[in-house]
Amino acid sequence: MRKNSIKNTRINGEVQRELSEIIRTEIKDPRVSGSMISVVSVEVTPDLKYCKAYISVLGGEGTAEEAIAGLKSAVGYIRRELAHRINLRNTPEISFILDQSIEYGVHMSKLIDQVVGDQSKEQDDL
């Protein structure tokens, strides 16, 4: 796989910043505005035609699915706003992907804390 160039890395950062701003301030859909949404990362192809936006949603599984559905329904508006804010040759087609890595990390931290707590209780009992 090809390593990202400096230009592509800058474009990814700018698109991520603008996407999070658009989602936070411009989208009026209650499925999106009612939940805590963050853009974890963005991958724009080198030809600027496609964009994968990894989205993390704070809340339950149902909340996350509703938020992704709301974003997919507003993808045309988001793409138009992105075109107005960022001067690119092509405005990429955006696909939103639910990223559960943050939730997975929190779950693993709880499991580790639980194991450490159990071990300290066993040490106290001895």
Side-chain angles (χ1 to χ4, degrees), residues 54-90:
Y54 295 94
I55 306 294
S56 177
V57 180
L58 186 64
E61 184 69 28
T63 306
E65 295 299 325
E66 286 180 4
I68 293 294
L71 287 172
K72 285 181 180 178
S73 69
V75 74
Y77 175 76
I78 293 171
R79 187 174 180 207
R80 188 180 74 223
E81 282 296 313
L82 193 63
H84 288 303
R85 294 175 183 218
I86 300 177
N87 186 16
L88 294 174
R89 183 179 308 126
N90 298 319

